Amino acid sequence: MNTIDRQELKNRLIQEGYVEAFGLDQTIDNLLNLDGKAAGMLKAWMYDGIIPDFEAIEGIDSKMLREIKMKEPAIILSYGMLLKAPKENSIHLKRILKQRIVYKVK
């Protein structure tokens, strides 16, 4: 599979509802810096329309993230974070989940 073109990714993120004024370039950089399984997941989403799906890592899975209305690119980034540092990043993601549940942000 080819590497992902930055402008093509930017256009796709805008189609998904991302806004340039809210850190879009940083999100693009983070996505383009993914490696391994997370990079493969991003390519599968970009080129084949495959919805990101992963089993629980430290109690966090794609279904749980989707339930709080996390967008597909954010789920892919979360997966990459969990692969790199499962314990530390699961704590971070669990805080986000708790805040969204407590404040009913969806």
Side-chain angles (χ1 to χ4, degrees), residues 58-71:
E58 294 293 324
I60 303 287
D61 65 13
S62 55
K63 180 181 176 186
M64 182 183 298
L65 299 175
R66 201 165 279 111
E67 285 175 359
I68 62 161
K69 307 297 185 211
M70 195 175 269
K71 294 178 177 146

Side-chain angles (χ1 to χ4, degrees), residues 1-2 6-8 14 16 19-20 32-34 36-37 41 46 49 53-54 57 59 61 70 74 82 91 95:
M1 231 179 288
N2 297 334
R6 183 179 185 82
Q7 187 61 47
E8 185 179 359
I14 291 170
E16 296 291 319
V19 179
E20 286 191 66
L32 292 175
N33 286 323
L34 290 170
K37 292 180 182 179
M41 186 181 279
M46 277 287 297
D53 186 41
F54 64 91
I57 300 172
D61 65 13
M70 195 175 269
L82 289 166
I91 291 168
R95 282 187 195 130

Side-chain angles (χ1 to χ4, degrees), residues 3-79:
T3 57
I4 296 173
D5 177 74
R6 183 179 185 82
Q7 187 61 47
E8 185 179 359
L9 178 56
K10 182 176 186 174
N11 292 341
R12 179 74 184 271
L13 293 177
I14 291 170
Q15 287 175 346
E16 296 291 319
Y18 283 75
V19 179
E20 286 191 66
F22 297 118
L24 181 59
D25 286 327
Q26 183 64 45
T27 300
I28 292 167
D29 290 341
N30 291 341
L31 286 165
L32 292 175
N33 286 323
L34 290 170
D35 58 10
K37 292 180 182 179
M41 186 181 279
L42 176 62
K43 288 177 183 177
W45 174 75
M46 277 287 297
Y47 297 121
D48 302 322
I50 296 172
I51 302 299
D53 186 41
F54 64 91
E55 296 295 319
I57 300 172
E58 294 293 324
I60 303 287
D61 65 13
S62 55
K63 180 181 176 186
M64 182 183 298
L65 299 175
R66 201 165 279 111
E67 285 175 359
I68 62 161
K69 307 297 185 211
M70 195 175 269
K71 294 178 177 146
E72 306 308 329
I75 292 171
I76 296 167
L77 284 173
S78 297
Y79 179 60

